[in-house]
Amino acid sequence: VKQRKCEDCHLRHGIVPALVLKKQGNQLCYGCHERKTIGMDKPNVHPVLQNGKCTSCHDPHGSSAAHMLKAEGNEACYGCHKREAFQRAVVHKVLAKDGCRACHVAHASDEKRLLSVDEAKLCTGCHAPAAAPFKKAHGDYPVAKARCTICHDPHSSATPKLLRASLHDAVKGGGCDQCHVDKGGPKPFAVTEQGAKLCLNCHDAAQLAAGGTVQHAPYAKGDCTACHDPHAGNARKLTRAPGNELCVRCHQARAEKVGMPHKAVTEGKGCASCHQPHAARNKGLVNVDVPTLCSSCHQKTKDASQKKKVVHPPFKSSQCAACHNPHGSNYPSMLRERTDQVCYRCHRDAETRFI
């Protein structure tokens, strides 16, 4: 642009104004900027670059910021990454001083999360693991060989020392040896027992099950860490993801957006509005029997209809799920199928009358 070589990128279009580019997306940029020089051959490429959108960060004609970025410093990143996660009460000093580029590379990296070097090397570049305060805080375990971000948020936190919002009590008290073997052994991060056996040394199984005989598959297998992080996390009760995000990691079909969502699923407690996380007395891990569960929110609908002279048998016997999808659907009133198809599931004799 500086050299006024517009035709390096654009095709001539005469007097009719039009944005006619010679190539689409990043293919146009690669004409001058070789793919290898910006790291497109590396295993971890910035998604926005991988998806062909150099112009998401860079202005193709010019900018007041370095590298023709659309914004200065961290502001360039906040266009996609929500700033709230980086501006909590306690901010990582290096982030506040030097910005995102202190730890991350912009285009691509050999390391995950676009880190400039391996996580352990990156952290110990500033934090001295041999220092007495460091060793004391970590129970003298060789944590310099582990991932610091297991317990610490690398950007910002609401708690001192950048600790994550939810901490395992053993971690909070510095009692690593409650779960791990001797710190001086050849495998200091090995645990004293495997799976749920370790967890049940502190957590009462009967209390977790609360009398439920139908068990959640991970709970039944003793795989507590399928849902919970044993050290720390930003979600409540050490769950690996907040709310429904945790559930849809396995129950992927429930993550699909539908035209008629159930408010019980999308608001409040989400999945936990109707389901128990560990065990329940009812099929599908529902909190109470289905009739009671539905009427706990839809009591007015039940009362009004039950007073009518003719009541639909499934409704009368509180078989709500016979017609409605409790998780939501793409049909009116959360019906399982198109209205006529729902009816014909039971009234097959009636279907032939209309064909």
Side-chain angles (χ1 to χ4, degrees):
V1 173
K2 194 173 184 179
Q3 296 174 355
R4 299 192 178 189
K5 294 182 178 181
C6 303
E7 290 180 84
D8 281 359
C9 300
H10 296 278
L11 292 171
R12 294 193 180 195
H13 50 74
I15 63 171
V16 179
L19 180 63
V20 186
L21 296 171
K22 287 185 174 180
K23 293 181 180 179
Q24 295 301 311
N26 289 2
Q27 294 304 317
L28 181 65
C29 305
Y30 297 150
C32 295
H33 307 279
E34 292 185 16
R35 294 170 62 93
K36 193 173 182 179
T37 61
I38 57 176
M40 290 299 289
D41 59 333
K42 293 185 180 294
N44 302 289
V45 179
H46 197 169
V48 74
L49 177 61
Q50 197 168 34
N51 295 334
K53 291 289 181 84
C54 297
T55 53
S56 293
C57 301
H58 301 279
D59 190 302
H61 294 117
S63 169
S64 297
H67 308 295
M68 291 170 61
L69 288 169
K70 289 183 175 180
E72 294 274 8
N74 294 354
E75 290 299 322
C77 304
Y78 295 153
C80 294
H81 303 277
K82 293 182 179 179
R83 65 177 67 239
E84 290 79 9
F86 305 89
Q87 297 180 342
R88 288 179 284 232
V90 181
V91 179
H92 197 175
K93 288 182 179 179
V94 72
L95 173 62
K97 181 183 177 183
D98 300 323
C100 306
R101 295 293 297 276
C103 300
H104 300 278
V105 290
H107 294 128
S109 173
D110 291 320
E111 305 295 331
K112 291 183 178 180
R113 298 181 294 280
L114 295 177
L115 293 176
S116 55
V117 295
D118 171 74
E119 182 178 317
K121 289 182 179 179
L122 186 62
C123 298
T124 54
C126 295
H127 304 278
F134 186 99
K135 296 175 76 173
K136 181 181 178 181
H138 298 92
D140 211 20
Y141 273 81
V143 293
K145 299 177 182 178
R147 285 178 50 230
C148 304
T149 52
I150 290 174
C151 297
H152 300 276
D153 191 300
H155 303 116
S156 73
S157 172
T159 58
K161 307 295 182 184
L162 290 171
L163 287 168
R164 295 194 179 275
S166 181
L167 288 177
H168 195 178
D169 286 344
V171 173
K172 194 183 297 183
C176 304
D177 56 359
Q178 290 183 37
C179 300
H180 294 283
V181 298
D182 179 43
K183 56 180 172 285
K187 295 182 178 180
F189 297 116
V191 289
T192 55
E193 292 182 89
Q194 296 299 315
K197 287 184 178 180
L198 180 63
C199 303
L200 294 178
N201 286 330
C202 296
H203 302 278
D204 184 76
Q207 186 178 5
L208 292 172
T213 53
V214 180
Q215 297 185 339
H216 193 187
Y219 178 78
K221 295 176 184 176
D223 188 9
C224 305
T225 55
C227 299
H228 300 278
D229 190 293
H231 297 104
N234 288 330
R236 292 179 65 250
K237 297 186 178 181
L238 292 169
T239 52
R240 292 190 177 276
N244 293 359
E245 287 182 33
L246 177 69
C247 304
V248 299
R249 286 185 169 192
C250 293
H251 306 279
Q252 295 174 1
R254 304 299 178 215
E256 294 178 10
K257 291 186 178 181
V258 292
M260 295 291 171
H262 192 178
K263 285 187 177 181
V265 177
T266 58
E267 298 178 5
K269 294 181 180 179
C271 302
S273 298
C274 301
H275 300 278
Q276 288 290 345
H278 299 117
R281 293 184 175 90
N282 303 283
K283 186 179 178 180
L285 292 171
V286 292
N287 300 333
V288 293
D289 61 275
V290 174
T292 305
L293 183 64
C294 298
S295 60
S296 65
C297 291
H298 305 284
Q299 187 64 48
K300 288 183 179 180
T301 302
K302 182 180 179 180
D303 291 344
S305 297
Q306 295 286 19
K307 294 175 183 178
K308 294 180 179 179
K309 187 175 180 180
V310 180
V311 181
H312 195 192
F315 184 79
K316 190 173 184 178
S317 57
S318 298
Q319 296 180 41
C320 308
C323 300
H324 301 280
N325 187 326
H327 297 104
S329 80
N330 287 316
Y331 299 98
S333 302
M334 299 192 329
L335 291 174
R336 288 188 173 275
E337 298 176 86
R338 200 177 65 204
T339 307
D340 60 327
Q341 294 300 320
V342 171
C343 299
Y344 294 151
R345 288 172 71 182
C346 295
H347 306 282
R348 291 186 179 180
D349 58 321
E351 184 176 9
T352 60
R353 301 175 195 171
F354 298 97
I355 295 177

